[in-house]
Amino acid sequence: MQNALHEAQTIVLLGGTSEIGRAIVEQLVTPATRTLVLACRRPDEANPDEFARDGLNVVTTYFDAAATDTHDPFVRGLAADHGDLDVVVVAFGQLGDQADFDADPQAAAEVVHVNYTGAVTACLATAAQMRRQGHGHITVLSSVAGERARASNYVYGSSKAGIDAFAQGLGDALQGTGVRVTVVRPGFVHSKMTRGMKSAPFATTPRVVGELTAEAMRKGKHTVWTPGILRYVFMTLRHVPRPIFRRLPLG
């Protein structure tokens, strides 16, 4: 359970190797934190030593975002092993390549399944556990790509639009239960996922996303844009006529 300063004792990162997810966790871990779970498909690559400190038990465990039927028992198992789950960060996801999706619809389906269906079942299983506890905070990694789909990555963008809408609705549904939801909308982030890609305006880093997300969570905000200026940029872009939008250098 979180203490009076809203410091979490148990933090779970679904997508334990995600650079952005790890940057968020780095900002959330305090001396009050007793357990950190890094859950991912390749636990041997999760590098728990990066978070090692006195009094903190860092656990790596197998988690498959695509295996949606395992999510509820997985979350129940975490609670049985570690007690109440104070914060769960849902950071797994795949970007993929639009040209590959155009040539292979099944590849597109697999990415959408992870980014949307997997995130939905993981969030619902977590929300059910936190309802039973009577408290908790779910942080969901969305993207500005979901605000208005672009020709260069519309499969990825559509999956993020879906999970963003879901998470906003989940947050509203959990009002009054003691469970909060924060949706994170980063712009282009320099990371392993975007290595080799052309940068977009207002590009940022995992560290900045982590700092802004942790600050927003502490303030109880339901949505955080990283960087913040993107909120106003996309407020405008939503209304740009499509013929003009197609010609904008947005990556």
Side-chain angles (χ1 to χ4, degrees):
M1 177 174 282
Q2 298 186 59
N3 63 21
L5 299 176
H6 301 290
E7 296 173 328
Q9 293 185 24
T10 301
I11 300 173
V12 178
L13 174 59
L14 301 180
T17 58
S18 161
E19 287 180 80
I20 297 176
R22 294 171 75 93
I24 294 171
V25 167
E26 181 67 33
Q27 296 297 318
L28 296 176
V29 170
T30 71
T33 307
R34 293 290 173 263
T35 303
L36 168 61
V37 179
L38 304 173
C40 53
R41 283 190 301 163
R42 292 181 290 277
D44 57 318
E45 297 179 7
N47 188 19
D49 292 344
E50 182 180 318
F51 296 98
R53 64 197 66 186
D54 289 343
L56 177 61
N57 179 31
V58 184
V59 179
T60 61
T61 188
Y62 179 79
F63 170 77
D64 186 352
T68 53
D69 60 327
T70 69
H71 292 177
D72 187 59
F74 176 80
V75 171
R76 289 177 181 271
L78 288 178
D81 291 342
H82 306 293
D84 287 0
L85 309 179
D86 298 322
V87 172
V88 173
V89 180
V90 181
F92 59 78
Q94 298 178 3
L95 179 59
D97 184 276
Q98 186 58 52
D100 292 340
F101 297 151
D102 291 340
D104 183 1
Q106 182 56 34
E110 291 171 2
V111 166
V112 171
H113 178 61
V114 169
N115 291 358
Y116 181 70
T117 313
V120 166
T121 53
C123 286
L124 288 174
T126 301
Q129 174 59 35
M130 290 182 171
R131 275 192 172 112
R132 290 190 288 271
Q133 300 170 180
H135 70 94
H137 199 144
I138 304 171
T139 296
V140 182
L141 207 59
S142 177
S143 170
V144 298
E147 276 297 292
R148 184 165 183 179
R150 305 191 301 275
S152 60
N153 69 347
Y154 60 89
V155 168
Y156 173 79
S158 66
S159 69
K160 287 299 184 180
I163 194 58
D164 193 295
F166 164 82
Q168 297 286 350
L170 178 65
D172 290 342
L174 290 171
Q175 279 294 307
T177 66
V179 184
R180 291 183 294 176
V181 176
T182 296
V183 180
V184 186
R185 294 174 180 163
F188 186 97
V189 180
H190 293 288
S191 66
K192 287 184 293 186
M193 180 181 280
T194 60
R195 188 169 297 155
M197 297 176 61
K198 183 181 178 182
S199 182
F202 308 110
T204 188
T205 65
R207 180 182 61 80
V208 172
V209 177
E211 292 172 349
L212 293 175
T213 300
E215 180 182 5
M217 291 174 66
R218 284 191 286 269
K219 292 180 177 177
K221 292 186 175 180
H222 58 73
T223 306
V224 54
W225 298 76
T226 58
I229 191 173
L230 289 177
R231 175 179 183 177
Y232 304 101
V233 171
F234 276 86
M235 190 181 297
T236 302
L237 288 176
R238 272 183 167 274
H239 302 287
V240 172
R242 183 166 292 179
I244 297 174
F245 184 77
R246 292 192 192 110
R247 296 197 294 271
L248 295 177
L250 299 174

